[in-house]
Amino acid sequence: MSRLKFSANLSWLFTERPEFTQRLQGAAAAGFRAVEAAWLYDADPLALQEAQRQAGVEVVLINTPPGDVDNGDLGLGAVPGRQVDFRRGLELAVKYAKALDCSRIHLMAGRVPAGRDRAAASEEMEATFVENLKYAAGVLSKVTLGHQVSIWICICDIYMHNANDCYPAIQCKCIVASDGGWGIYGVGLQSSLQLVSKG
């Protein structure tokens, strides 16, 4: 049986160190060989790259930008009318992933917009999410990092908050199978669906 492997989430750990570059060193000093981060976009990617090299750790996962957190955003993948913002965020995530040689990008679905009923908004959010997944699949299939795309669905007030909400993504054949470039990796212990680039 293989040993469990752990990564330190630098958005929540080593926060006594204000800079992400410092947290990379903190994680390495604590014995971690791998790290991840929810959002590290306040840091310069080249400075992170150098700090990663010095620390000798692997960056295994980053999230797409959350949007405007102060106004309630927590991901944009399924938020109607925010497709342009989602695409800009994906572009930024890819830039950081390339700098850090990170092979996993977490595409965050997002919350039901304030003032809208979940049931009433569900169909439109589902359509938006599938649209954005199609776009992301096309973008990431051209990135030479072998990206494993994880969809975060484990927060109760996020649009996708149980396994049933994964079905539209699973059924979206152009993402999962029809172009021959993507396959389902699995539904994880924290209700996370992963689509893996076969390229």
Side-chain angles (χ1 to χ4, degrees):
M1 183 176 179
S2 61
R3 295 181 180 179
L4 291 175
K5 297 179 180 180
F6 296 92
S7 62
N9 191 317
L10 300 185
S11 293
W12 322 125
L13 298 176
F14 308 104
T15 55
E16 70 280 2
R17 303 173 184 234
E19 302 295 333
F20 268 96
T21 51
Q22 298 169 334
R23 294 180 196 179
L24 286 162
Q25 293 290 344
F32 286 97
R33 296 181 179 178
V35 300
E36 60 185 274
W39 308 291
L40 38 62
Y41 300 107
D42 289 337
D44 177 76
L46 295 180
L48 286 172
Q49 184 183 65
E50 176 59 21
Q52 177 194 15
R53 186 191 66 78
Q54 292 181 9
V57 296
E58 179 184 3
V59 178
V60 296
L61 174 71
I62 62 174
N63 290 355
T64 49
D68 188 349
V69 176
D70 292 337
N71 284 317
D73 288 342
L74 194 60
L76 300 172
V79 182
R82 302 293 297 280
Q83 288 91 327
V84 172
D85 293 330
F86 171 81
R87 292 180 180 193
R88 288 172 179 159
L90 179 63
E91 181 181 354
L92 185 62
V94 168
K95 175 182 177 180
Y96 275 72
K98 286 181 176 180
L100 299 170
D101 197 27
C102 175
S103 63
R104 297 173 183 89
I105 296 178
H106 217 163
L107 302 182
M108 298 186 64
R111 291 173 166 159
V112 176
R116 296 194 64 182
D117 176 73
R118 174 183 288 276
S122 179
E123 186 174 341
E124 185 181 8
M125 294 189 75
E126 177 183 310
T128 300
F129 192 50
V130 169
E131 175 189 341
N132 282 331
L133 280 174
K134 289 179 180 179
Y135 177 82
V139 169
L140 295 175
S141 67
K142 299 171 184 174
V143 176
T144 56
L145 287 173
H147 278 282
Q148 176 176 303
V149 182
S150 301
I151 303 160
W152 186 10
I153 56 172
C154 57
I155 291 184
C156 62
D157 61 349
I158 236 164
Y159 161 63
M160 301 182 74
H161 75 300
N162 62 56
N164 289 334
D165 292 329
C166 288
Y167 292 153
I170 294 173
Q171 294 169 348
C172 184
K173 289 183 170 37
C174 76
I175 300 169
V176 177
S178 66
D179 66 354
W182 294 85
I184 295 175
Y185 181 84
V187 178
L189 295 177
Q190 295 185 338
S191 298
S192 61
L193 172 71
Q194 296 179 337
L195 305 178
V196 183
S197 172
K198 293 178 180 178

